[in-house]
Structure formats: structure tokens, C-alpha cells
Amino acid sequence: GAVVSQHPSWVICKSGTSVKIECRSLDFQATTMFWYRQFPKQSLMLMATSNEGSKATYEQGVEKDKFLINHASLTLSTLTVTSAHPEDSSFYICTGGGLAGQETQYFGPGTRLLVL
Amino acid sequence: ILNVEQSPQSLHVQEGDSTNFTCSFPSSNFYALHWYRWETAKSPEALFVMTLNGDEKKKGRISATLNTKEGYSYLYIKGSQPEDSATYLCAFNGDDYKLSFGAGTTVTVRA
């Protein structure tokens, strides 16, 4: 299957700092990527749809100014958590592979963020 | 938020035994049902994408069935092996392109 990398896998930061997470499709082009967040014992929740060359589409309740998404190329989407606070501590994971529908999504390994 | 539920939350099975667990989802506006296997410290891996009522899919010792009219899917593992230990996620796709995930069933196979 196709491979998606995600970096970093772990990050610990102080409250108020910004953290950038990269999601790369290594062997395919992804015009659309998805960003999810998972809190302990909960489901993966879609945060936003990242579209190459255009603005991301955010789910209800997700602050677009706090979670900045940039999809500048067909193989890279970045999620920046701006002015992170302890409540942003979570597991963030990206997928690529075309519009979800009936198409298989390929996942990155995820990034665990801890904000102190 | 669409209600996708997986049951049980976790289960333990003896090596060599077979097991199954469920995913329930809305029975309206069905488009596809995905199953993924997620091993610790790895990326979730796609198992099946199921689209038609009555679908049965198989991959090695793992198989899945789909009932879109009543809104459920079963995943079966035959002759469980330690390498089957993982969290199994289902995801529902309705009439948009988004996936709604269940919380997963964590399977632990005891040698």
C-alpha cells in the first residue's frame, strides 16, 4: 500500500508556543489530505480537510486560526498548532489517498502532542 | 457527528481461537464502510472497503460482512495468532466524502 509519513512522532512543548506537524505522501500524490485528532479512549475525529493549492475546510468547532493547515504541494500538508495550550494535548494523525468515499485512506503514524 | 459504535471495546482471545466483533452505523445515506487494523506504534492499515449490502470480504484469516439495511458490519478473525493483536477500527462514509470512525475494538491474542 501507499506510504504516508508524519513528523514529529512525539512533541512536548510549553504552553503558548506553536508546533508544526508535517504529513507527507511518499509514493503517491495527494490532492486531498485529512487531519484527525484523538483524545484518550475516544474515536478519531476529523478536524479538517487539506486541499492542495487552496484553503483547508474545517469541521465545526475546530478553530481555523488556531490550527493552521498548509497544503503547498501534492505530497506535503502541514498542521500548525498555534499558541498551544494543555487542552490541545492530543494525538494528531493525517491521511491521504483521495476523497474518502469508497477509496482507501492511507494513514501516517501520528503525532502525540503534550503541552505543558 | 455520526454515531458509529464498536463492540466490544476490547477482547482477549486464546491463540488458535476464532473471534468476531461488530461495528454499527447509521442505516441511512450509506456510501461505504471501512475497516482498518491499527497496531501499536504503527500507522493504521486498510483491511476492507465495503459498499454493497450483503458484501463479504476476506483477507487471509480475516473476513468481514456488511448489512447496510440494519446498519452493522462484523469482522471475523479465524484461528487468531499473536500478530492479530491490534485495534480494529471501522469508519462509516455517508453521503459526503468524510469518514466517521468508531472508537475501535482492541484485540489481544494470548499465546
Side-chain angles (χ1 to χ4, degrees), chain A residues 47-51 55-59 69, chain B residues 97-98:
Chain A
M47 297 177 65
T49 303
S50 173
N51 303 298
K55 292 182 179 180
T57 305
Y58 292 82
E59 294 303 298
I69 290 174
Chain B
Y97 57 85
K98 302 172 187 177

Side-chain angles (χ1 to χ4, degrees), chain A residues 59 100-101 103-105 107-109, chain B residues 34 36 43-44 46 93 97-98 101 103:
Chain A
E59 294 303 298
E103 296 184 58
T104 296
Q105 287 295 298
F107 282 80
Chain B
H34 297 235
Y36 292 88
S43 303
N93 174 235
Y97 57 85
K98 302 172 187 177
F101 282 85

Side-chain angles (χ1 to χ4, degrees), chain A residues 4 32 34 36 38 41-46 49 57 59 91 93 99-110, chain B residues 1 4 9 31-32 34 36 38 41-46 48-49 51 89 93 96-104:
Chain A
V4 175
T32 302
F34 300 92
Y36 293 85
Q38 184 183 39
K41 297 189 184 293
Q42 295 188 23
S43 309
L44 292 171
M45 295 296 294
L46 181 64
T49 303
T57 305
E59 294 303 298
F91 182 78
I93 194 166
L99 293 182
Q102 297 180 347
E103 296 184 58
T104 296
Q105 287 295 298
Y106 300 99
F107 282 80
Chain B
I1 298 176
V4 180
Q9 183 177 10
Y31 196 62
H34 297 235
Y36 292 88
W38 195 357
K42 293 185 178 180
S43 303
E45 171 197 0
F48 308 114
V49 180
T51 57
L89 300 177
N93 174 235
D96 61 17
Y97 57 85
K98 302 172 187 177
L99 291 178
S100 296
F101 282 85

Side-chain angles (χ1 to χ4, degrees), chain A residues 51-78:
Chain A
N51 303 298
E52 188 267 335
S54 65
K55 292 182 179 180
T57 305
Y58 292 82
E59 294 303 298
Q60 192 172 12
V62 177
E63 300 174 57
K64 62 180 181 180
D65 294 332
K66 182 168 187 61
F67 298 99
L68 299 180
I69 290 174
N70 185 280
H71 195 150
S73 77
L74 286 171
T75 58
L76 175 64
S77 175
T78 60

Side-chain angles (χ1 to χ4, degrees), chain B residues 3-39:
Chain B
N3 193 23
V4 180
E5 294 189 355
Q6 291 187 246
S7 179
Q9 183 177 10
S10 64
L11 63 88
H12 291 78
V13 60
Q14 199 68 31
E15 182 177 0
D17 289 350
S18 297
T19 189
N20 65 83
F21 38 92
T22 64
C23 170
S24 63
F25 50 85
S27 55
S28 59
N29 298 325
F30 176 86
Y31 196 62
L33 192 283
H34 297 235
W35 281 102
Y36 292 88
R37 174 169 59 198
W38 195 357
E39 296 179 63

